[in-house]
């Protein structure tokens, strides 16, 4: 999102198990009460959490980017709909239990995998109608979905049976900002 918006934040690494900010060994819960990323800290002391709020805030710093429809535009609610769908039906339903740092029992993982399928079908239907989640242009919901699709792929789930979704996944992976964001993340994590 920052790459698309032309923003250059300072990234800080977090030990998500120990809940510490790595560079100064401070308590991560001071910036994120849930202990979850993302957490955005502004110079004026404002702290913001939750993917949907953080990404919409960042989008609104660059209104001409089109990353979020402007307030008053009905499409803004459509964006909120898709951010919520990706967050609850894909991220927390499948990605989170699959990659949970503390580990997840295998039957729970299998259940998460089964729950993913209807969500993928919803996305496939959407991409038969439009090139992006909200419509013609890339928004922060697509950025969020791009990240979840990468983790779905890494988990060994092949989305090929959902052909419109698979075509979208290929397209979005080739988007320069998506490619560069993963490269930045790999460099920060030393992968
Ligand atoms: N509801 C949160 C969920 C964020 C979330 O689950 N983040 C994971 C990483 S993908 C996390 O920080 N997990 C740490 C933990 O569960 O302790 C959001 O939408 O931002």
């Amino acid at each position: 999102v920052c790459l698309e918006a032309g923003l250059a934040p300072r990234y800080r690494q977090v030990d998500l198990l120990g809940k510490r900010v790595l560079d100064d060994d401070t308590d991560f819960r001071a910036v994120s009460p849930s202990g979850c990323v993302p957490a955005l800290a502004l110079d004026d002391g404002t702290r913001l959490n939750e993917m949907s709020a953080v990404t919409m805030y960042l989008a609104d710093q660059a209104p001409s980017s089109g990353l979020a429809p402007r307030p008053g535009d009905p499409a803004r609610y459509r964006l909120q709909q898709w951010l919520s769908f990706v967050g609850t039906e894909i991220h927390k339903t499948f990605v989170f239990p699959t990659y949970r740092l503390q580990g997840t029992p295998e039957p729970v993982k299998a259940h998460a995998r089964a729950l993913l399928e209807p969500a993928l079908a919803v996305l496939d239907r959407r991409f038969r109608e439009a090139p992006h989640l909200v419509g013609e242009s890339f928004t922060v919901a697509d950025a969020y979905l791009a990240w979840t699709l990468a983790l779905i792929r890494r988990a060994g789930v092949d989305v090929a049976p959902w052909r419109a979704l698979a075509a979208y996944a290929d397209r979005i992976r080739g988007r320069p900002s998506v490619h560069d964001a993963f490269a930045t993340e790999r460099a920060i994590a030393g992968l």
Side-chain angles (χ1 to χ4, degrees):
V1 170
C2 289
L3 291 174
E4 291 276 347
L7 303 170
R10 181 159 75 94
Y11 298 108
R12 300 181 69 187
Q13 246 184 306
V14 175
D15 167 7
L16 276 179
L17 267 181
K19 305 300 174 201
R20 309 297 297 174
V21 181
L22 286 182
D23 56 14
D24 59 3
D25 195 34
T26 50
D27 181 7
F28 180 51
R29 289 193 194 276
V31 286
S32 176
S34 68
C36 284
V37 290
L40 182 69
L42 303 179
D43 290 340
D44 69 0
T46 303
R47 303 288 180 255
L48 197 59
N49 303 107
E50 295 293 315
M51 195 70 90
S52 53
V54 169
T55 55
M56 283 191 71
Y57 174 87
L58 294 173
D60 286 348
Q61 303 315 298
S64 60
S65 66
L67 285 166
R70 310 228 177 167
D73 181 338
R76 197 164 165 97
Y77 302 107
R78 197 59 70 197
L79 172 62
Q80 288 177 327
Q81 171 194 309
W82 286 115
L83 281 171
S84 177
F85 183 84
V86 175
T88 58
E89 306 301 328
I90 300 182
H91 181 179
K92 280 310 218 188
T93 301
F94 176 77
V95 175
F96 184 77
T98 301
Y99 289 97
R100 191 165 175 262
L101 295 168
Q102 294 89 340
T104 300
E106 284 309 318
V108 176
K109 277 195 192 175
H111 182 62
R113 171 75 181 79
L115 291 176
L116 179 64
E117 300 218 348
L120 297 180
V122 169
L123 292 172
D124 189 58
R125 267 203 300 281
R126 178 59 183 148
F127 294 126
R128 275 186 255 148
E129 300 163 355
H132 295 95
L133 283 171
V134 174
E136 288 307 312
S137 60
F138 181 95
T139 65
V140 291
D142 296 291
Y144 192 10
L145 181 58
W147 174 75
T148 62
L149 285 172
L151 291 175
I152 286 170
R153 184 178 154 101
R154 196 180 297 171
V157 178
D158 183 3
V159 299
W162 296 276
R163 291 176 55 184
L165 173 62
Y168 169 89
D170 284 346
R171 256 187 296 126
I172 217 79
R173 235 190 344 269
R175 195 174 171 96
S177 65
V178 173
H179 175 273
D180 293 354
F182 283 118
T184 301
E185 193 170 316
R186 276 196 298 273
I188 291 173
L191 297 174

